[in-house]
Amino acid sequence: MLKKDWWKSAVIYQIYPRSFQDSNGDGIGDIKGIIGRMEYLGRLGIGAIWLSPVCKSPQKDNGYDISDYQDIDLMFGNIEDMENLINEAKKYNIRIMMDLVLNHTSDKHRWFEEARKSKDNPYHDYYIWRDGEEGVLPNDVKAVFGGSAWTWEPSLKQYYFHQFLPEQPDLNWENPKVRKEIYDMILWWMKKGVGGFRLDVIDQIAKEPDLGITINGPRLHEYFRELSKETFQKGDLITVGEAWGADIERAKLYSNPDGSEFSMVFQFEHIGLDQEEGKEKWDVVPLPFLKLKEVMSHWQRELHNCGWNSLFWNNHDLPRIVSRWGNDKEYRVESAKMLAILLHGMQGTPYIYQGEELGMTNVRYDIEDYRDVEIHNMYKARIEAGYDKEDVMNSIYAKGRDNARTPMQWDDSENAGFTDGTPWIKVNDNYKEINAKSQVDDENSIFNCYRQLIKFRKEYPVFVDGDFTLLLADDENIFAYKREYAGKSMVVVCNFYGQTIDMPLTEECKDMELLISNYAKGDEAVLRPYEARILSLIHISEPTRLGMIS
Ligand code: GLC
Ligand code: CA
């Protein structure tokens, strides 16, 4: 028997604070804004909020460049606001997970300011330096946001290493003092009542820059186990490591049921499927449906009983799912619900990214309306390299991180109810049609589909503990699977496209009842565009037919 952890039946909601709710009219979301929306989140039924970084930061990478781990950025509020948030959330049984950026700090962090003063400064060895000559890079390791991973520090005649922006120098995890400082900081947050942590690019902390090893370095899991033992294991926390480089074998370590590392891992195999092999994320190829089924079911099967999956479609770095695998035009509502049903029927802990529960969509802005440094760096590099402007813009429409970062759409008033001021990034102009106000009281809304699914996960153990069998593996339109647990079973069947097709699996589902669907009752022998059903042998009295107009 696996240990029953609270986060196995909970659903987590990710908030990107600067885009969630502004409370003081400066156009930037803040902590008070989040507190003001707690009732909405309580209504949805989530168990925890993963808060993207709110610590002090020069905001070169929207808070993923932290200059003080133990203070809140003025733009978002202060420590007292944070404490209030933790306490307010508690009233709704919601815990607060913080985003821990441990691979790097801001170059304005006190440690780095000291480190760059001299080679014998006690903080020098908190970062990674190489002697050298100006203009002769130590090697050709590239930074994720473009350019070299090495930046010259003239006063020291040394290069420092950074996997992201030059303003995000990498910490030297080999230095035990660095690790100790980090543990103390985490324990300090735990004492404040934080309920968990999401660990930013955690597979990049153990590196061998000279060998070009930037992920999955040799000491990675050693560091994880020490980190976990010194901090997380002293509380009842949910922890999730972000790991673009995790394969199944590693994920089993990350999410080992013995609790020696983290609760679970964000792996991205299903996310990278529309990227041309060996190229950058901007080199988009058509979405391969059979591959999606294969990849997702592989993870379901492999981690069953020996690890734990996180389930997610989008986050602040990824495009909106309804614009990606769904249809954000005529079947926006149906396809958003279908994608929700498909994901929430699987084993693991689901993560909802703000606005996903409303079916928010991607945007197509002019280049000057984007704010993300990654978008602008790529745009500049590709235009200089002679790419066609239209192709570059199409890549941004498909993959740009700002797709997810436009303000939350609360209502149909100006700026979607996000701010009384000028929003830091333009609001998606479909806010009059797509907003929370029009959905919360509508029982057929996408919002209420999510709410229902969250409820099911708490009520029916088969959602949490059931094993997983992929059905119809070769079907080009349908994603279907079966979950079984303690004599109970359920079948999830989803039409992934816009045509009406025959409903297969009639034998399989013979005595089953409908638990939820995204359509009104109709011909059960067919699946309408993007139709999704969960059928089960779990006894419930009334099926939930979202989309039902009775
Ligand atoms: C992660 C974050 C991303 C950030 C990067 C550097 O991938 O999700 O937003 O830019 O790490 O910290
Ligand atoms: Ca504000």
Side-chain angles (χ1 to χ4, degrees), residues 5 7 100 102 173 186 197-203 205 220-221 223-229 231-233 237-243 250-266 307-308:
D5 298 292
W7 38 262
L100 276 178
L102 304 180
W173 272 72
I186 294 174
F197 298 97
R198 175 260 188 186
L199 298 119
D200 189 61
V201 292
I202 201 68
D203 56 347
I205 61 170
L220 189 67
H221 292 275
Y223 292 154
F224 289 172
R225 284 190 286 266
E226 187 186 274
L227 165 65
S228 172
K229 185 159 156 277
T231 61
F232 310 142
Q233 287 173 37
L237 299 182
I238 174 176
T239 51
V240 51
E242 184 201 22
R250 267 185 202 281
K252 288 182 188 165
L253 298 175
Y254 272 89
S255 62
N256 194 323
D258 71 6
S260 56
E261 296 192 4
F262 309 132
S263 316
M264 66 194 94
V265 58
F266 283 135
W308 191 253

Side-chain angles (χ1 to χ4, degrees), residues 163 203-207 212-218 220 244-246 250:
Q163 299 191 60
D203 56 347
Q204 293 176 233
I205 61 170
K207 45 239 154 190
I213 298 175
T214 55
I215 53 166
N216 299 334
L220 189 67
W244 288 80
R250 267 185 202 281

Side-chain angles (χ1 to χ4, degrees), residues 61 64 101 104 145 164 168 198 200-201 242 244 316-317 401 405:
D61 185 22
Y64 285 92
V101 187
H104 46 267
F145 297 149
F164 295 88
Q168 293 168 299
R198 175 260 188 186
D200 189 61
V201 292
E242 184 201 22
W244 288 80
H316 64 292
D317 294 328
R401 302 196 296 181
R405 299 178 181 186

Side-chain angles (χ1 to χ4, degrees), residues 486-503:
K488 305 268 188 210
S489 65
M490 67 176 196
V491 169
V492 179
V493 43
C494 298
N495 178 1
F496 247 71
Y497 293 96
Q499 291 85 36
T500 298
I501 50 178
D502 287 340
M503 164 74 186

